[in-house]
Amino acid sequence: MTDHSSIADGLVVSIHYTLRDDTGELLDTSSGDEPLVYLHGAENIVPGLERALDGHTVGDRLTVEVAPADGYGEATSKGPQAVPRDQFPADADLFAGMQIYAETESGDGFPLWIVEVSDDQVMLDSDHPLAGATLHFEVEVTEIRPATAEEIAHGHPHGPGGHHH
Ligand code: ZN
């Protein structure tokens, strides 16, 4: 028998969360919206938060401080780089904060974040917008359920709050 009452790898977990930075400024929240649904142990959420949730049960409320290394990484970029807008498809809906994937010449994918979009150029940064930030989460666990075999294979949850495809 597997116990599905406490959070462990291979379970789909729903959480309500509020994220603030060191100054207490609100960065993101699920409040007033659907909870965030993720597959535990599949790196769907930042490692520091995933680790803190381990073993918790429905109804638990946690306050979690996550260092940059366990969050969105240390800030390492030397600043955004400009790329001509016409390097992207004309109909691409580009916006600040959007994550895209670029490829090296050997075909390895790596993430970049859009910082700013203008008519003729796009500013790209290799750092996540929250790189270097200590993250302050307030979290409430609202649901825990077993993942389906398909969800385990895909590495993310399906259905309400999850991927649709
Ligand atoms: Zn899937």
Side-chain angles (χ1 to χ4, degrees):
M1 282 292 289
T2 309
D3 175 14
H4 296 136
S5 66
S6 59
I7 296 174
D9 288 358
L11 298 179
V12 173
V13 180
S14 302
I15 56 171
H16 269 300
Y17 70 95
T18 296
L19 171 59
R20 294 178 190 276
D21 68 12
D22 267 332
T23 69
E25 189 189 339
L26 182 66
L27 299 174
D28 195 12
T29 181
S30 64
S31 178
D33 207 340
E34 295 298 312
L36 171 74
V37 183
Y38 77 96
L39 175 61
H40 196 77
E43 298 179 4
N44 293 173
I45 61 175
V46 295
L49 181 58
E50 186 167 61
R51 224 164 29 234
L53 281 160
D54 218 52
H56 280 278
T57 59
V58 170
D60 281 2
R61 292 168 181 268
L62 305 71
T63 301
V64 184
E65 183 177 307
V66 177
D70 293 321
Y72 292 103
E74 304 287 356
T76 57
S77 142
K78 295 186 183 76
Q81 305 285 317
V83 174
R85 176 66 180 80
D86 60 17
Q87 300 268 307
F88 296 86
D91 61 351
D93 180 24
L94 307 174
F95 55 89
M98 182 179 185
Q99 184 182 4
I100 62 167
Y101 280 88
E103 261 187 21
T104 63
E105 282 178 14
S106 57
D108 295 325
F110 61 96
L112 293 171
W113 283 269
I114 295 178
V115 177
E116 198 182 334
V117 182
S118 64
D119 287 344
D120 57 353
Q121 67 180 24
V122 178
M123 301 298 288
L124 294 173
D125 202 318
S126 57
D127 282 348
H128 185 281
L130 291 175
T134 299
L135 309 172
H136 300 265
F137 287 99
E138 283 171 51
V139 179
E140 180 183 1
V141 181
T142 60
E143 193 186 340
I144 304 171
R145 66 165 173 84
T148 65
E150 190 183 49
E151 288 172 325
I152 297 282
H154 287 200
H156 56 227
H158 294 159
H163 285 237
H164 298 274
H165 60 136

